[in-house]
Amino acid sequence: MNYFKHDSAIVDDGAEIGENSRVWHFVHVCGGAKIGKGVSLGQNVFVGNKVEIGDHCKVQNNVSVYDNVYLEEGVFCGPSMVFTNVYNPRSLIERKDEYKDTFVKKGASLGANCTIVCGVTIGEYAFIGAGAVVNKDVPSYALMVGAPAKQIGWMSEYGEQLDLPLSGEGSVKCSTGAIYTLKDNTLTKG
């Protein structure tokens, strides 16, 4: 075993966990899960069978990563944030064949207590504010807040809000020296 697992954690046979990952107190990782290198799974995290978590992700306490959720490299999931995988659940109706895929792209941050409704894609380095409810796709670098979530700005890869309009054109330098350019309502770095 080339990762740390707390004695209270349960890792089912078949689960793949990369080197230098940390599986903390009361975590349950199902047998079909694929978890990359250098991942941290905080206390009371659940990881389903049909889940992929990329290298260097941080999944904070009390997060359930259900089937059909895919996290790319460097995703941050804040404490008690929520993923769903069925759009219209009912306890008395079986809908496991209706799971919708949710994709969270490289470097995105999902704030504490936010909810990600299934079937969306969250773009690279997007930043979802605490308590937001995301029910539609989110562009790369977008800063989203509220319920339902609305874009209120743009964020750098470093995690700083950029002084750019929501739409139109513009260019700005981050404190790291990186240049971000807004054109045709799309933000790019470089």
Side-chain angles (χ1 to χ4, degrees):
M1 189 167 77
N2 56 1
Y3 63 91
F4 168 80
K5 180 182 91 63
H6 188 270
D7 289 342
S8 65
I10 298 169
V11 176
D12 293 343
D13 290 342
E16 297 176 22
I17 300 178
E19 64 182 315
N20 298 320
S21 290
R22 296 165 313 282
V23 180
W24 291 103
H25 304 73
F26 312 113
V27 170
H28 181 189
V29 179
C30 292
K34 294 179 181 168
I35 298 170
K37 297 181 281 188
V39 171
S40 178
L41 301 178
Q43 181 174 305
N44 199 39
V45 165
F46 170 80
V47 180
N49 277 302
K50 192 177 174 193
V51 168
E52 293 179 16
I53 298 176
D55 295 344
H56 309 292
C57 289
K58 292 184 178 161
V59 182
Q60 299 295 302
N61 297 354
N62 305 311
V63 175
S64 292
V65 186
Y66 295 119
D67 286 354
N68 295 61
V69 173
Y70 304 93
L71 309 180
E72 289 186 357
E73 176 186 5
V75 170
F76 176 86
C77 297
S80 301
M81 62 81 46
V82 175
F83 290 105
T84 68
N85 60 7
V86 175
Y87 191 77
N88 55 340
R90 292 284 195 198
S91 182
L92 298 173
I93 300 171
E94 183 74 32
R95 291 208 161 113
K96 289 183 179 178
D97 61 337
E98 296 178 26
Y99 286 174
K100 294 183 183 242
D101 293 341
T102 299
F103 299 96
V104 184
K105 300 295 186 174
K106 180 180 179 178
S109 291
L110 311 177
N113 293 306
C114 73
T115 298
I116 310 301
V117 177
C118 59
V120 301
T121 297
I122 297 174
E124 290 186 355
Y125 298 100
F127 198 100
I128 310 303
V133 178
V134 174
N135 61 0
K136 62 183 178 183
D137 290 350
V138 173
S140 294
Y141 302 103
L143 171 59
M144 308 288 288
V145 299
K150 290 184 182 179
Q151 185 177 358
I152 63 164
W154 300 99
M155 297 290 279
S156 73
E157 291 181 12
Y158 189 64
E160 295 178 342
Q161 189 168 357
L162 299 170
D163 186 20
L164 288 168
L166 287 180
S167 61
E169 295 187 2
S171 189
V172 68
K173 184 186 285 190
C174 172
S175 68
T176 65
I179 304 291
Y180 291 86
T181 303
L182 179 63
K183 185 176 181 184
D184 299 325
N185 299 324
T186 300
L187 189 67
T188 56
K189 177 186 170 193

